[in-house]
Amino acid sequence: MSTGVTITSPEKLKQPNLPKADSCVLVILGASGDLTRRKLIPALFDLNCVGCMNPYFQVLGIGRTQMDSEEFRKQMHDAAASSGDSRNFAEDRWDFFAERLHYMAGDLNDPALYEQLKARLAELGDFAGTHNHLFYVSVPASLAPPIVEGLGKSGLNQNDKGWSRIIMEKPFGRDLQSAKELNSTLLNAFDESEIYRIDHYLGKETVQNILVFRFGNTMWEPIWNRNYIDYVEITAAETVGVESRAAFYEETGTLRDMVANHLLQLVALTAMEPPIAFDADSVREQKVQVFRSIHPMTPEEVERRTVRGQYGPGVVDSAPVPGYREENGVSPTSRTETYVALEFHVDNWRWAGVPFYVRSGKRLPRHVTEIRVHFKRTPQALFARTPDEEMDPNIVTFTIQPNEGISIWFGAKRPGPHMSTAPVQASFLYENVFGTETPDAYETLLLDAMQGDATLFTRRDEVEAEWRIITPIEEAWANAPAPNFPNYAAGSDGPIAVESLISGDHRGWRKLAEEPTSGK
C-alpha cells in the first residue's frame, strides 16, 4: 500500500496537438539590437523546430547596422546556437530556418525606408504566398512613435490582401501622459485589435497557470478571498546589476522597469475575478477592474507605503561586485532606484483589508520571481498544550522563474508518540511532471500574435490604469528628499527599511539569502 504522494508519470500526460501559426512575413524593426539575438530569433527557431510555424513564413530584419542577409544569418546562427532558450538547435534544422531570414539596413526615422520596405514585403509575400504582415517594434517605446508613424504614412498599416498587426515592447511610456500619447500614436495607425503590447511575463507557463489553479480547482476557488487570505507577497529578485543597460536604467529605474508592467500584471492575475471566458477581452477586462480598485497613493501614503533603494558594493555569488554608482555609464550622484518595495491595497469586496506587498531589485542574493499567498492561521486552541505552541499558516507559492511550478506549505504531525507538528511542502514542477522544458515566454507570445490571439497581451486601458497607479509614486519621489543612496549592499536582501513595511503578527518577507526550510 502506497503512503506517498502519487504524481501521474510523464508518459501518461499526452501533449495536445500543437497550434499552427498563420503564414506571414514577420518584420523586426530594430533587428540589430540585443532582443532579436537573445530572444526573438531563438524563439522563432524553436517554434519552427516543433512544427508551429507555417513552412512558408519569412522574417525580415531592419536595423541601422550595415550588413547583408548572409551576415545577418551568420550572427543569428551564432546567437541561436549559444542561446539557453533555444532547446532544439541542430545545424540541419538551422539551414532550413536560415533560408527564411532576410535583412535590410536603414534608418527607421527616414520615411523613405518605409517605401523600400513596402516593395520588399511585396517580393517576400509573392515568394511565400502570403500577404499577412506582423511588425515587431524591437526598440524602446520612447523611440517607437516615428516607426509607427512611418508604417501608417506609407500605408503598411492597411492590408487589403491579408492582415497587418504590430507588437510593441514595454515600457509603454514613462508616465500616464506619455502612455496616453503613445496609445494615441498607435491608434492613429492601427486598430486596437491589431496592437499587441507584449509583456513577456504573461507568456510564462506558471503565470498562465494561476488562472487554472484559482478557477479550475474546487479546493481553492471558494477560499481565494479576504476571509481566508492574510496577505500576498510578490517578489522579482535579480542577482545581476545593470550590465550594459546603464543608459536605459538611469532613465527608467526599477519602478518603471518592473512594477509598472510585470509585477502589476501578477497582482492582477492573483486578484482578478473569474472572466466569463478565456479570451482576450474577457480576461483583460477583469485585470482592468483590479487596477481600478487600487487607488493612487497620496504623497503621505507614498512615504508610508513605499521603500526605494540603490545597491552599493558587495558580494554576489562569492564574487565582489561594484555599487550602482560605480557601474559604467552611471552618474556618481545617481538618484535612480535599483530596488523598490510597495504596499498595495485592492479596495474591492473580495480583497478589502488584504495587503499586497510587492518588491523588486537588482544585486540581490537570489534570482527568483514568485507569488506567495499567505493564508490566515487556524485557531490554535487544539495545539495549545503540545510542544508546538503555534502552527505555521498555509502558503501557496507560484514560482515564475527559475524552475517554474507551484508549492503548498501545510502543517503535518511528526512521527512519534507525541503531538508535535512541522510545516511540510507539496511541490509541482513543470519539467518533472510533464517531462519537458517549458517553452520560452517569447515562443508563446509570438505564436499567439501570429494566430491573432491577444489574451496574453496588454490592452490600452490596462496600460493607462497601471500608470495611474505608478505616476503619483514617481512624482512624490521626485519632490521628496533623495534617500541616502546607496542604502543596501549588493548581495543583501535590500534596504533595512523594507522590513518595517510589512506589519502585523506572523507577517514578513521571505528571506532571499537562503532557501526556506518552512513556509516562512
Side-chain angles (χ1 to χ4, degrees):
M1 180 176 177
S2 174
T3 58
V5 176
T6 301
I7 298 177
T8 305
S9 66
E11 292 78 16
K12 296 181 181 178
L13 292 168
K14 294 181 180 179
Q15 290 285 357
N17 292 329
L18 293 172
K20 286 273 191 182
D22 290 355
S23 178
C24 70
V25 179
L26 171 58
V27 182
I28 303 175
L29 299 139
S32 54
D34 186 53
L35 180 66
T36 303
R37 290 190 299 272
R38 286 191 307 109
K39 293 294 183 181
L40 301 186
I41 293 300
L44 290 166
F45 176 66
D46 271 354
L47 286 173
N48 182 65
C49 289
V50 298
C52 289
M53 296 293 284
N54 185 287
Y56 299 105
F57 76 93
Q58 302 290 316
V59 178
L60 174 60
I62 302 177
R64 289 179 180 272
T65 304
Q66 292 293 324
M67 60 178 155
D68 58 18
S69 292
E70 283 304 316
E71 176 60 26
F72 180 64
R73 289 167 185 156
K74 182 180 183 305
Q75 289 188 16
M76 296 305 105
H77 167 277
D78 296 345
S82 61
S83 172
D85 295 327
S86 185
R87 299 170 292 151
N88 300 285
F89 188 84
E91 292 295 341
D92 56 339
R93 291 174 170 178
W94 177 262
D95 291 342
F96 174 86
F97 179 79
E99 292 175 0
R100 286 146 183 81
L101 296 183
H102 313 274
Y103 185 82
M104 270 177 53
D107 181 356
L108 293 170
N109 293 322
D110 182 1
L113 172 69
Y114 297 92
E115 294 302 324
Q116 299 171 30
L117 173 58
K118 182 186 290 188
R120 188 73 174 109
L121 284 177
E123 294 174 5
L124 290 174
D126 290 340
F127 175 77
T130 178
H131 292 280
N132 295 329
H133 302 149
L134 179 60
F135 300 102
Y136 198 118
V137 183
S138 182
V139 301
S142 60
L143 304 178
I147 296 174
V148 178
E149 291 170 356
L151 293 172
K153 290 178 180 177
S154 64
L156 287 167
N157 58 330
Q158 304 294 327
N159 194 342
D160 295 333
K161 298 181 180 180
W163 49 254
S164 288
R165 299 171 188 148
I166 186 168
I167 299 178
M168 298 295 297
E169 272 286 339
K170 66 91 182 171
F172 312 115
R174 284 184 47 81
D175 52 23
L176 179 57
Q177 183 59 38
S178 61
K180 287 181 175 179
E181 291 170 357
L182 178 59
N183 280 334
S184 178
T185 299
L186 283 165
L187 290 168
N188 283 337
F190 293 88
D191 186 80
E192 178 63 34
S193 64
E194 299 166 332
I195 302 169
Y196 290 70
R197 300 173 186 84
I198 193 168
D199 181 340
H200 71 272
Y201 266 44
L202 296 182
K204 294 181 179 294
E205 289 291 335
T206 304
V207 171
Q208 298 172 66
N209 207 27
I210 294 171
L211 300 185
V212 177
F213 184 91
R214 287 188 54 196
F215 303 127
N217 293 288
T218 306
M219 70 177 75
W220 299 111
E221 193 280 328
I223 63 172
W224 209 260
N225 57 55
R226 58 185 167 81
N227 296 322
Y228 297 92
I229 293 175
D230 183 26
Y231 69 104
V232 177
E233 174 193 1
I234 300 177
T235 298
E238 298 178 282
T239 56
V240 298
V242 294
E243 299 179 304
S244 61
R245 302 172 71 215
F248 166 80
Y249 220 80
E250 277 286 82
E251 179 184 342
T252 306
T254 299
L255 184 63
R256 290 189 178 101
D257 184 41
M258 294 296 295
V259 182
N261 37 76
H262 297 329
L263 298 191
L264 278 177
Q265 288 290 325
L266 297 186
V267 169
L269 289 168
T270 306
M272 65 187 275
E273 296 298 320
I276 60 172
F278 192 68
D279 59 40
D281 284 336
S282 298
V283 172
R284 296 190 292 187
E285 183 59 38
Q286 294 303 331
K287 288 195 292 179
V288 169
Q289 294 304 321
V290 173
F291 297 140
R292 290 174 178 167
S293 299
I294 301 175
H295 299 304
M297 296 185 200
T298 65
E300 293 74 24
E301 288 172 327
V302 170
E303 185 176 356
R304 293 196 313 269
R305 290 165 45 191
T306 72
V307 173
R308 50 179 164 158
Q310 186 187 94
Y311 66 84
V315 176
V316 177
D317 294 333
S318 303
V321 296
Y324 177 72
R325 292 179 175 180
E326 286 80 55
E327 301 274 17
N328 289 333
V330 174
S331 166
T333 59
S334 174
R335 290 181 40 159
T336 300
E337 80 282 355
T338 62
Y339 179 101
V340 61
L342 311 98
E343 177 186 345
F344 290 126
H345 290 271
V346 181
D347 293 321
N348 60 20
W349 185 264
R350 182 185 291 267
W351 296 107
V354 179
F356 284 69
Y357 298 105
V358 173
R359 62 175 170 171
S360 181
K362 290 189 173 296
R363 287 298 190 203
L364 298 177
R366 183 179 301 283
H367 169 57
V368 64
T369 301
E370 64 182 14
I371 303 168
R372 288 164 62 83
V373 180
H374 298 254
F375 285 79
K376 294 181 178 180
R377 296 171 68 244
T378 59
Q380 300 293 296
L382 179 63
F383 308 102
R385 298 181 182 179
T386 68
D388 299 302
E389 295 182 1
E390 296 179 346
M391 289 186 65
D392 289 343
N394 302 136
I395 301 174
V396 173
T397 301
F398 301 93
T399 302
I400 313 301
Q401 61 181 3
N403 303 320
E404 294 184 65
I406 302 171
S407 64
I408 303 166
W409 287 95
F410 60 96
K413 180 186 175 298
R414 297 178 187 271
H418 301 293
M419 176 54 76
S420 177
T421 64
V424 296
Q425 183 184 31
S427 297
F428 151 69
L429 293 175
Y430 274 91
E431 188 170 351
N432 289 352
V433 174
F434 291 99
T436 183
E437 295 180 54
T438 57
D440 180 72
Y442 277 93
E443 292 181 41
T444 300
L445 296 170
L446 284 168
L447 181 58
D448 282 356
M450 287 185 281
Q451 292 182 300
D453 184 353
T455 304
L456 300 179
F457 294 83
T458 307
R459 201 169 64 185
R460 172 188 183 174
D461 51 349
E462 276 186 83
V463 171
E464 295 180 9
E466 287 174 317
W467 281 116
R468 286 190 185 95
I469 299 167
I470 297 300
T471 298
I473 300 172
E474 290 283 2
E475 291 174 345
W477 284 355
N479 294 324
N484 186 23
F485 286 159
N487 58 353
Y488 72 97
S492 71
D493 268 27
I496 294 175
V498 78
E499 296 300 329
S500 61
L501 190 65
I502 295 185
S503 60
D505 294 338
H506 311 288
R507 291 180 179 177
W509 298 103
R510 172 193 164 179
K511 298 298 182 185
L512 296 172
E514 57 188 25
E515 286 283 6
T517 55
S518 72
K520 294 180 180 178

